[in-house]
Amino acid sequence: MAPIKFSHVPHFCSLQRSLLALALLTLLAFTYVSFTFLRPSSTDLSPNPPKVAVIGDLVESSEIYQSPGKNVDEFSEIYHLPDLFRLNYAEMEKKFKVFVYPDGDPNTYYQTPRKLTGKYASEGYFFQNIRESQFRTDDPDQAHLFFIPISCHKMRGKGTSYENMTIIVQNYVQSLMSKYPYWNRTLGADHFFVTCHDVGVRATEGVPLLVKNSIRVVCSPSYDVGFIPHKDVALPQVLQPFALPTGGRDIKNRTMLGFWAGHRNSKIRVILARVWENDTELDIKNNRISRATGHLVYQNKFYRTKFCICPGGSQVNSARIADSIHYGCVPGKEFYPFCLYSMVQKHFQWNTPPVKYDAFHMVMYELWLRHHVIKY
């Protein structure tokens, strides 16, 4: 075997060191630019903010900034673009219009859900609010989006099978396609429907046109049901009315580090419960707390806990996150400061009539954003 020559090794090492140095300099420069971009200094908060471009109805900017003013603190800590959010929200309130298809036969379930309480209340609140809101228009030519008011909630009470639910939904959509010209103009890309229970998700899964083309506003945005992040919208599942008032910055009264109670119906829940159930700093319960143990025991535990654990179960539709935010307990891995809860809580509150920045308006805001990126 020929001897190995080392004459070029020094040159190779020198080149290697140069490349390493260049990589480190690039990394440092990228890190500096990233931090400068994401967290502007006080000198950036000048009375002369950078230019803002309006593309269609959507306001955009190439820079993140916060202009001075007494209302800045309301959103500056929870939005990267507080001023742009405020501008786009104002545009939505001013211009956004939705055409609601007329209700179908009450016997075929195309009506407002049965009630505004329980874990499916979000669907009911949305149905009621959209009909009474400023966003509704009776002129389809003015509409940016079209709402298909299909609720499978009543089907559950009637004991209808999933196969028959799918047939009912499919027939209804077909009737809209044949009776109105709006679906066919975009193949349903500017249409949306709302469902806050697994029955609605299962019933519409068998209608590919809805799943693939239209915007799905659902309370179970898990990927195993084909949730498409850039197209679909997550509907906050809120158990209303809340049993107790909102929690706040009472950190001293929150003596327990973490709390969770629920069924161990997923692998992650089983593992976490096994590891944490004997930890004295954590309050871990197997199964949900029974009402027989006392009045509002479950809700009161949120007040006494700093962090509320929200592990995924058999589905992602859970009111725990909304409960945690309402009662002032930091949910899951989202370690927001306690002082921000008064700003965030209103986004997870359903009202009738709706109130500015509440859950209904934030869902409408998400739909407003989706309207600008529809492709067909």
Side-chain angles (χ1 to χ4, degrees):
M1 183 176 62
I4 299 176
K5 296 182 179 181
F6 294 96
S7 58
H8 298 291
V9 170
H11 299 287
F12 175 77
C13 292
S14 177
L15 177 62
Q16 191 177 41
R17 284 195 296 270
S18 299
L19 290 175
L20 180 59
L22 179 61
L24 288 174
L25 287 173
T26 303
L27 178 60
L28 290 173
F30 177 78
T31 303
Y32 172 77
V33 172
S34 298
F35 274 105
T36 303
F37 181 79
L38 290 175
R39 188 62 66 179
S41 64
S42 58
T43 57
D44 295 325
L45 309 182
S46 62
N48 299 314
K51 293 181 180 179
V52 176
V54 179
I55 303 177
D57 297 323
L58 187 65
V59 182
E60 293 189 351
S61 172
S62 60
E63 299 182 43
I64 292 178
Y65 70 95
Q66 298 170 3
S67 62
K70 62 181 180 180
N71 294 324
V72 169
D73 289 340
E74 184 179 10
F75 296 111
S76 61
E77 293 297 328
I78 56 176
Y79 293 106
H80 289 301
L81 301 167
D83 283 347
L84 296 187
F85 165 75
R86 198 175 288 109
L87 288 171
N88 282 324
Y89 188 95
E91 286 293 306
M92 175 199 72
E93 287 189 313
K94 181 180 178 181
K95 298 181 179 180
F96 195 22
K97 295 300 177 184
V98 173
F99 178 77
V100 182
Y101 283 106
D103 283 346
D105 183 356
N107 294 324
T108 49
Y109 320 108
Y110 310 120
Q111 287 193 335
T112 302
R114 295 176 296 179
K115 54 186 179 179
L116 297 180
T117 58
K119 61 182 180 179
Y120 303 138
S122 296
E123 178 180 328
Y125 273 100
F126 186 90
F127 270 68
Q128 178 168 313
N129 288 347
I130 190 66
R131 289 190 173 97
E132 301 171 355
S133 75
Q134 66 192 54
F135 303 111
R136 180 176 181 176
T137 178
D138 294 327
D139 184 359
D141 293 329
Q142 295 182 355
H144 298 94
L145 293 178
F146 295 79
F147 176 45
I148 305 174
I150 181 169
S151 173
C152 301
H153 202 183
K154 292 183 179 179
M155 298 184 192
R156 182 184 183 121
K158 296 284 186 178
T160 308
S161 66
Y162 286 119
E163 291 77 10
N164 288 333
M165 288 183 192
T166 299
I167 294 173
I168 293 172
V169 173
Q170 190 170 29
N171 289 340
Y172 179 57
V173 175
Q174 290 291 338
S175 70
L176 297 181
M177 293 169 60
S178 60
K179 186 176 181 181
Y180 302 94
Y182 315 118
W183 176 284
N184 296 324
R185 294 186 309 189
T186 65
L187 297 179
D190 57 357
H191 286 55
F192 73 94
F193 70 95
V194 176
T195 182
C196 193
H197 48 86
D198 50 357
V199 173
V201 173
R202 290 281 300 275
T204 54
E205 275 184 320
V207 187
L209 288 175
L210 280 178
V211 176
K212 181 180 179 181
N213 297 351
S214 65
I215 301 170
R216 298 193 299 166
V217 184
V218 295
C219 277
S220 54
S222 52
Y223 290 91
D224 60 341
V225 296
F227 185 85
I228 305 173
H230 70 270
K231 175 180 73 71
D232 299 331
V233 175
L235 183 69
Q237 187 176 49
V238 184
L239 191 65
Q240 288 198 212
F242 288 108
L244 295 170
T246 57
R249 311 180 187 184
D250 52 338
I251 304 177
K252 293 182 179 179
N253 297 328
R254 299 179 182 274
T255 56
M256 188 60 64
L257 178 63
F259 164 67
W260 172 70
H263 299 293
R264 303 185 185 185
N265 54 2
S266 68
K267 185 176 181 179
I268 186 63
R269 288 188 176 187
V270 171
I271 294 174
L272 292 180
R274 185 184 304 142
V275 174
W276 287 342
E277 61 185 351
N278 295 322
D279 193 318
T280 56
E281 290 188 298
L282 302 175
D283 188 354
I284 305 298
K285 304 294 182 184
N286 187 17
N287 296 324
R288 204 166 175 91
I289 297 176
S290 173
R291 294 180 181 177
T293 59
H295 185 58
L296 300 177
V297 173
Y298 177 75
Q299 289 80 1
N300 276 302
K301 283 185 177 292
F302 285 97
Y303 286 123
R304 297 196 294 269
T305 310
K306 294 182 177 68
F307 300 99
C308 291
I309 305 163
C310 305
S314 56
Q315 283 291 334
V316 192
N317 53 330
S318 172
R320 274 189 186 83
I321 294 178
D323 285 341
S324 301
I325 292 174
H326 176 79
Y327 296 119
C329 180
V330 181
K333 298 180 181 178
E334 305 298 327
F335 298 114
Y336 295 113
F338 288 90
C339 60
L340 297 183
Y341 270 86
S342 59
M343 306 173 194
V344 176
Q345 284 167 337
K346 56 188 167 187
H347 294 335
F348 290 83
Q349 174 74 48
W350 290 97
N351 303 284
T352 179
V355 177
K356 193 179 184 75
Y357 300 126
D358 68 356
F360 172 73
H361 281 93
M362 296 309 293
V363 171
M364 295 302 295
Y365 181 72
E366 288 294 322
L367 288 168
W368 171 247
L369 297 182
R370 297 298 190 278
H371 151 66
H372 292 282
V373 295
I374 289 175
K375 294 182 181 180
Y376 49 85

